[in-house]
Amino acid sequence: EIVLTQSPATLSLSPGETATLSCRASQSVSSFLAWYQQKPGQAPRLLIYDASNRATGIPPRFSGSVSGTDFTLTISSIEPEDFAVYYCQHRANWPSLTFGGGTKVEIK
Amino acid sequence: QVQLQESGPRVVKPSETLSLTCTVSGGSIGCDYCYWSWVRQTPGKGLEWVGYISASGSGDQNPSLKRRLTISPDTSKNQFSLNLSSVTAADTATYYCARVKWEVLDYWGQGILVTVSS
């Protein structure tokens, strides 16, 4: 079974800085990885699918990339509303769905 | 715009069955390549996939819950449901319903907190 490991667990940044979040798969996987944002008291929201495609309405400061088993979510010039928890998800264990443990992006 | 809304009891007694319904609006549960999923989140923790179902009744469930879990579609009401039997305090969580399309959860309900308590 493929495991997704997200790092760091917490990222402390000031508005305007760049956030780099990692999601590493335990073995080789396809690029069908998604990223979600969850704010307190809200449901997760789809940000990125297929590793690098932004979902509808997601601003261009959010970008995704992949290199081997390492997936990266980058938030350029982070804004106050971007402070949240971010999860990655992959279909590698399809028909099961797998989530990473999450990265909390907090205000420094 | 697809919208999902969870409903059901917010308190369930230990050993009883947790039953939730997700009502879908703005789209049909019979849409192409669509599955309908439940995801839960224990307080302060991460996301756990529970299971999903298609309108035709095909789907899959988290192996750790499979023995206690039933997920069913109701195409006449454009709904799908979750039944989790023999609940314990460990099943206390916020339960989200969501649409799965191309293995991505693209629309989510707001979630419902269910507490297992006597």
Side-chain angles (χ1 to χ4, degrees), chain B:
Chain B
Q1 175 82 346
V2 176
Q3 293 183 310
L4 298 92
Q5 178 69 57
E6 304 89 349
S7 60
R10 294 175 183 267
V11 180
V12 181
K13 290 183 168 53
S15 80
E16 296 190 345
T17 296
L18 184 162
S19 296
L20 296 175
T21 297
C22 182
T23 301
V24 179
S25 58
S28 169
I29 67 167
C31 59
D32 291 342
Y33 312 110
C34 291
Y35 289 89
W36 302 91
S37 181
W38 291 97
V39 175
R40 72 180 184 178
Q41 185 171 38
T42 51
K45 300 294 185 181
L47 302 171
E48 178 184 27
W49 171 67
V50 172
Y52 57 76
I53 197 79
S54 70
S56 63
S58 63
D60 201 12
Q61 299 160 350
N62 188 318
S64 69
L65 300 172
K66 206 164 192 171
R67 183 178 52 84
R68 302 188 288 130
L69 181 64
T70 302
I71 300 176
S72 305
D74 184 339
T75 55
S76 66
K77 295 181 180 178
N78 218 37
Q79 296 175 335
F80 62 104
S81 63
L82 172 150
N83 284 278
L84 184 65
S85 64
S86 305
V87 297
T88 69
D91 296 309
T92 292
T94 295
Y95 288 77
Y96 296 99
C97 59
R99 188 180 83 166
V100 182
K101 194 160 186 179
W102 301 115
E103 294 83 40
V104 170
L105 297 101
D106 57 355
Y107 292 99
W108 294 69
Q110 65 185 24
I112 183 169
L113 174 61
V114 180
T115 301
V116 178
S117 174
S118 54

